[in-house]
Amino acid sequence: MRQTAAAEPVPLASSLAVGELAWASVCAVGAAVRPDELQPPDPDQIAAAYRSDRHLLIDAVPPDVWSPLSRFWQTADGCVRTHGNYPHHAAALKRGLALPSDASVEQVSGRLATMTAAAACRDITAAGGLCAAVRREDPRYDAALRRRPLVETRRLADSPARSMPSDSRAAPLAGVRVLDLTRVIAGPVATRTLALAGADVLRLDPPELPEPPWQHLDTGHGKRSALLDAATEAPRLHRLLTDADVVVLGYRPAALRRLGLSPEVLAERHPHLVVAQLSAWPGEDSPRGFDSLVQAESGISWLESTDGSAPGALPAQALDHSAGYLLAAAIIDALRRRARSGGSRLVRTSLRRVAAELLGMPRGERPAVTAPYAVRTQQFDVAGHVVTTVAPAVRWPGSPEWFPPPRPWGEDRAEW
């Protein structure tokens, strides 16, 4: 991953090269849009974008973005990290620990303290929850991951070339239709970036699993939001795919196969599609995961410890945001390839592959404090609420200064 160095460092305090990773990831989008005319972004705005959840305001109040069950825990032989921001994941965590649904944080802590980290991960995962052991880094494994492309791109099927529908400098993706089947941060950052470039993005969520409101408002800019269950409404989904140019997938590979939405099946049925896939871990058997869990498993949490005895975290959800920007850049490149030579293409990466990239970059000493940085924000009225979010970090010549507003979650029709 090589990009022009920033004139000023991106102020994300870490001994790891988080700022350099963020700079290169954001620059990748600008380079994909205008490879012949690069416009460097603002390092301060990149830092703000990577920490957007910390600048988000809803009716002038910062939302509480972490569940009490999303944290580190001490076990009998080490530490684990769990994720319980979604209610169904919090319920599964307690179920995996054989605790009642109304169990307190203290009860969860007490149960985990009696278990090994391996047993906790096994039982919680088996129940459908999310738990990762906090491990030390494995340089050999990371080096093996880095021998693979940071974002894999390959041709899946043949089809006639389709020209880019727009030559607008401000909106180079105008007329491109993107079906967004992602959640949380990485996938929504990718599709938000495509929407900024003018794409018509339709996000679909299962009706029974609402997105936390703050999360949707933080990354939902410029997209329409509709409800559709991919498991029970496959014909409607494939009708949408017939007229789409891009589909962005955030489901686990096993779930995609079960739903008949694996990249290979999609390319066979819709040989014009650019299929973009994000997962937490590499490989076809990737379990559920989030940025915080990948930091724990990859060794980043121990490297970010401030005292050597308690694990820490990166100054931002940098794996998520970087994966999102890198995937958006690869999608734009795949669309340009399709315009030249046709065909369906797969572009994919994982948070763990991005972590390996970060762990292979030059390191320095951890700054004592995070340097102050300027933040450009914008305000919207969304469903009667005043929402303040961070303005775009991505830049290309003629690019918009501001995001279009988010739509209310789930209130649009599932149609183009």
Side-chain angles (χ1 to χ4, degrees), residues 71-75 78-81 133-136 295-296 299-314 366:
R71 50 169 280 193
F72 294 108
W73 309 85
Q74 187 68 45
T75 67
C79 294
V80 296
R81 175 89 191 212
V134 184
R135 303 185 188 280
R136 303 288 176 176
Q295 288 189 45
I300 290 174
S301 293
W302 279 125
L303 293 171
E304 288 296 289
S305 172
T306 58
D307 60 7
S309 61
L314 294 174
R366 183 186 181 93

Side-chain angles (χ1 to χ4, degrees), residues 269-311:
R269 293 191 62 170
H270 310 284
H272 64 287
L273 271 179
V274 172
V275 181
Q277 185 178 3
L278 272 166
S279 58
W281 320 95
E284 291 302 310
D285 297 319
S286 172
R288 297 178 183 89
F290 292 95
D291 183 304
S292 57
L293 302 187
V294 175
Q295 288 189 45
E297 183 274 345
S298 65
I300 290 174
S301 293
W302 279 125
L303 293 171
E304 288 296 289
S305 172
T306 58
D307 60 7
S309 61

